[in-house]
Amino acid sequence: MKFDIFQMERNQTLFENDVEINLTESGVHPWSIEDILGEEAACDLLKQPLGYGWTDGRPSLRANIASWYPGATAANVLVTNGSSEATMIALMALFEPGDSLVFALPNFMQIDGLGRALGFDIRRLELSGDTDWQIDPAHLAKVAAGAKAIAVTNPANPTGSVLSAASRAALVEAAKRNDAWLMVDEIYRGGEIDGAETETLWGSYPKVVVTSSLSKSFACPGLRLGWVVAPAEVVASAAERQDYTTIGSGILSQILAEEVMRPETRGRLLARGRDLLRSNADLVAQWMAQHNDWSWRRPQAGGMAFLRYPLDMPSEVFSQKLREEESVFVVAGSWFGIENHIRIGIGVPTEVLRDGLARMDRFLARHKS
């Protein structure tokens, strides 16, 4: 089976640990085990036998996850190794080679690459910053005609935009018209910067599949703990595919995730993350005000800012040169399917972001067109 190189993931793997300033992450700076459990409970975790546990997720963990999705129960939840496994097994459970899937761009490119490797017809729905990265209903209707699924990320990666009520309605209408599945990556929900928590698309239409994880807004990427929220029959079918992938996630990750997703802890961790994101978004706004030839739309959610630059330099070259010259690593816009942009992480400690922006200024001073 032929796979295209997953450019963003491959480049992060190669370089993110060899730079002084890594601005490629899109989540909140990670919490510690003590941040989550407290000192006494963290010590108790040392006594936990390292057995397999529940391969589909501890019932209490699935119930805690379900509580974040109105109307969902534990039967609607399957625990996975990160959202990447969640997406993969959901795709394998629902679709056959030749099926058409609409994929919104710019986006995290997993469905695009994995879908084509699995033999799906991937149709790209291109969004524009000129319309705040919202959906054009007429364009969607044309691209989605006869499709088996429409896939979006909300809040979006890499733009940090949140779908408007009109965009949500257009998605649901297009899905209904084609009897298509609506696949929604909601991994940045809970990381809102300016505004209320993003409303989940779960419950808006019977054929909705939501994927998410603890890696971004919840600041626990090292747990590699994700989930699928879907109709019970889809969860069962996805679990059968998981028997062939990872079988199940680790018991320590599940124990910690159960506490993270307890409503009281969930609220506490998300609030801390939002404070950091808000402060750092303000810092980027100050930097952008000094670079009038750059443009952006302040992110509504997520640990990232998507910046359009004026240089006559491909974004992958920009990323490479900045890394080599200033030891600052940013994500190339081309790795999301759009040029002349970079994505910078704003979930890092503020002093790290400030240093990274200062180094970028030095870089730009040398590369003025």
Side-chain angles (χ1 to χ4, degrees):
M1 182 181 294
K2 177 176 171 53
F3 281 84
D4 292 339
I5 294 175
F6 199 153
Q7 291 291 347
M8 192 189 81
E9 293 297 333
R10 183 80 336 238
N11 278 278
Q12 282 185 300
T13 297
L14 290 173
F15 303 119
E16 66 183 348
N17 294 308
D18 294 329
V19 292
E20 295 172 6
I21 305 290
N22 178 25
L23 297 182
T24 66
E25 296 297 342
S26 58
V28 176
H29 188 65
W31 309 131
S32 69
I33 293 174
E34 283 191 2
D35 287 329
I36 298 167
L37 296 180
E39 184 177 358
E40 184 176 350
C43 288
D44 288 344
L45 193 63
L46 298 175
K47 304 170 186 175
Q48 173 64 43
L50 297 178
Y52 283 110
W54 295 79
T55 57
D56 56 353
R58 292 157 65 96
S60 49
L61 167 58
R62 288 188 286 119
N64 285 356
I65 293 170
S67 71
W68 205 32
Y69 299 90
T73 69
N76 298 118
V77 177
L78 175 65
V79 175
T80 63
N81 278 272
S83 65
S84 292
E85 184 185 39
T87 299
M88 179 177 68
I89 60 179
L91 289 173
M92 294 192 297
L94 289 171
F95 308 114
E96 298 292 337
D99 285 345
S100 296
L101 279 68
V102 174
F103 179 68
L105 281 180
N107 211 328
F108 183 68
M109 300 299 284
Q110 183 192 12
I111 288 180
D112 185 81
L114 179 60
R116 283 184 284 106
L118 293 173
F120 306 150
D121 170 28
I122 301 296
R123 306 176 184 177
R124 293 184 170 185
L125 175 70
E126 295 177 346
L127 308 179
S128 170
D130 293 337
T131 56
D132 290 334
W133 309 107
Q134 298 299 318
I135 289 171
D136 178 347
H139 183 39
L140 173 61
K142 181 178 180 180
V143 175
K148 293 289 291 292
I150 303 169
V152 297
T153 301
N154 187 46
N157 178 15
T159 65
S161 60
V162 174
L163 291 175
S164 66
S167 288
R168 291 164 59 92
L171 280 173
V172 172
E173 175 58 30
K176 287 180 178 177
R177 187 184 310 118
N178 293 282
D179 191 29
W181 287 93
L182 188 54
M183 299 193 66
V184 190
D185 178 348
E186 294 186 348
I187 196 170
Y188 296 100
R189 180 179 172 222
E192 291 74 24
I193 298 170
D194 300 314
E197 185 171 277
T198 304
E199 183 181 356
T200 178
L201 274 156
W202 171 258
S204 62
Y205 167 63
K207 297 179 71 173
V208 170
V209 174
V210 170
T211 57
S212 191
S213 88
L214 299 182
S215 295
K216 305 301 181 183
S217 301
F218 289 101
C220 297
L223 293 183
R224 305 306 307 136
L225 197 293
W227 56 84
V228 178
V229 180
E233 62 274 17
V234 175
V235 167
S237 184
E240 292 172 356
R241 274 72 182 171
Q242 190 180 41
D243 291 342
Y244 283 98
T245 54
T246 63
I247 299 177
S249 54
I251 190 170
L252 297 181
S253 292
Q254 290 192 27
I255 290 170
L256 286 161
E258 180 182 337
E259 177 60 30
V260 170
M261 292 306 292
R262 193 168 62 86
E264 296 82 0
T265 306
R266 186 168 71 213
R268 173 173 61 86
L269 296 181
L270 290 178
R272 286 179 60 183
R274 287 168 180 154
D275 287 344
L276 176 64
L277 295 176
R278 191 174 301 111
S279 295
N280 284 355
D282 290 344
L283 181 60
V284 175
Q286 294 166 18
W287 188 88
M288 289 295 292
Q290 299 170 6
H291 297 79
N292 294 328
D293 49 352
W294 287 56
S295 61
W296 76 321
R297 296 187 180 276
R298 181 183 172 97
Q300 295 171 278
M304 60 208 150
F306 200 46
L307 312 180
R308 181 177 178 86
Y309 61 84
L311 300 181
D312 183 18
M313 182 185 296
S315 57
E316 188 163 1
V317 175
F318 187 114
S319 175
Q320 177 187 347
K321 286 182 175 293
L322 180 62
R323 174 174 51 80
E324 292 174 347
E325 295 179 18
E326 292 292 343
S327 199
V328 176
F329 192 19
V330 299
V331 181
S334 63
W335 299 342
F336 298 104
I338 189 167
E339 259 299 354
N340 296 113
H341 287 73
I342 58 169
R343 190 193 77 180
I344 64 171
I346 64 170
V348 297
T350 300
E351 61 273 16
V352 174
L353 178 59
R354 184 176 289 109
D355 188 5
L357 292 173
R359 295 183 188 209
M360 199 149 71
D361 278 333
R362 294 202 300 260
F363 173 82
L364 293 174
R366 291 195 300 273
H367 292 279
K368 287 182 178 178
S369 56

